[in-house]
Amino acid sequence: ARAKGAQERSVVLGHALPNALLPVITISGVLLGFVLGGSVAVEQAFGVPGLGRSLVTALVAGFVATHIATVTGYWLSGVGLANLDFSLFNGILLVPKSDPQSQFILGGIFHYMTGISYALVYVYLIHPLIPLPNTTRGNLTKGLFFGIVLGLISALWWVPVLFPQFNAGFLTLNFGWKTLVSIFVWHAIWGINMGALYNPYPADEAN
């Protein structure tokens, strides 16, 4: 990459970082599994309330919700809407001068980490604050509400401000109504899956 005259930032983020992250992510996943597994085992065995169980649920829910929404984003044209590839969008934002494959890989890692991070924010900050009962319907509504809020942030700020070269306009309306609807559908799917997967009941919170 350097021989081709690429900038140092592009070399590091677009070529070196994706390869360097592989062993780090691998060993981190193994260690995190041991930590969370041990925490859940202790909580279950001794009846000690803690963050282990809810943290595992939040991480799994965040990953699954992000994955389902991401895959759905590739299929939106099947219902007449615009396809969304947030992995590639993040890659363009992070390493704009790298090749498409590096953008997709690095952007995908960042995209999934962002989805899981928002899941943690939802579980520990947003979910307890929404004044709805912790029933199946209430939890689904909470998740959908948070997803719609994220969709609004994405259409109102993320796309127009972070991608000025695309001239998205206010609320991304320059891309047309199909793109705007796709953004809200994508985030609504993420939110519904979060509400379905993180679905505590009053009895669970009392323990």
Side-chain angles (χ1 to χ4, degrees), residues 2 12 15 22 49 64 75 82 101 108 111 122 133 141 145 156 159 170 176 186 193 200:
R2 289 193 178 97
V12 173
H15 298 275
L22 292 177
V64 174
W75 298 344
Q101 183 178 4
H111 170 62
Y122 169 74
T141 304
F145 170 78
L156 190 61
V159 176
F170 175 75
W186 193 101
N193 281 280

Side-chain angles (χ1 to χ4, degrees), residues 91-193:
I92 293 173
L93 181 64
L94 294 172
V95 284
K97 295 185 178 180
S98 294
D99 59 278
Q101 183 178 4
S102 298
Q103 290 177 339
F104 180 79
I105 294 174
L106 187 60
I109 294 172
F110 185 81
H111 170 62
Y112 275 84
M113 290 177 62
T114 302
I116 294 172
S117 298
Y118 276 123
L120 294 175
V121 171
Y122 169 74
V123 168
Y124 292 111
L125 295 179
I126 305 301
H127 184 275
L129 294 178
I130 300 178
L132 290 174
N134 285 340
T135 60
T136 298
R137 179 179 297 179
N139 290 323
L140 285 173
T141 304
K142 290 181 181 183
L144 177 60
F145 170 78
F146 187 55
I148 294 298
V149 170
L150 292 179
L152 181 62
I153 294 173
S154 179
L156 190 61
W157 174 79
W158 193 78
V159 176
V161 174
L162 299 183
F163 297 93
Q165 66 272 29
F166 297 147
N167 190 27
F170 175 75
L171 206 63
T172 320
L173 289 174
N174 287 354
F175 287 171
W177 68 268
K178 290 184 179 181
T179 299
L180 179 61
V181 172
S182 294
I183 291 174
F184 280 100
V185 168
W186 193 101
H187 288 88
I189 291 173
W190 183 91
I192 290 173
N193 281 280

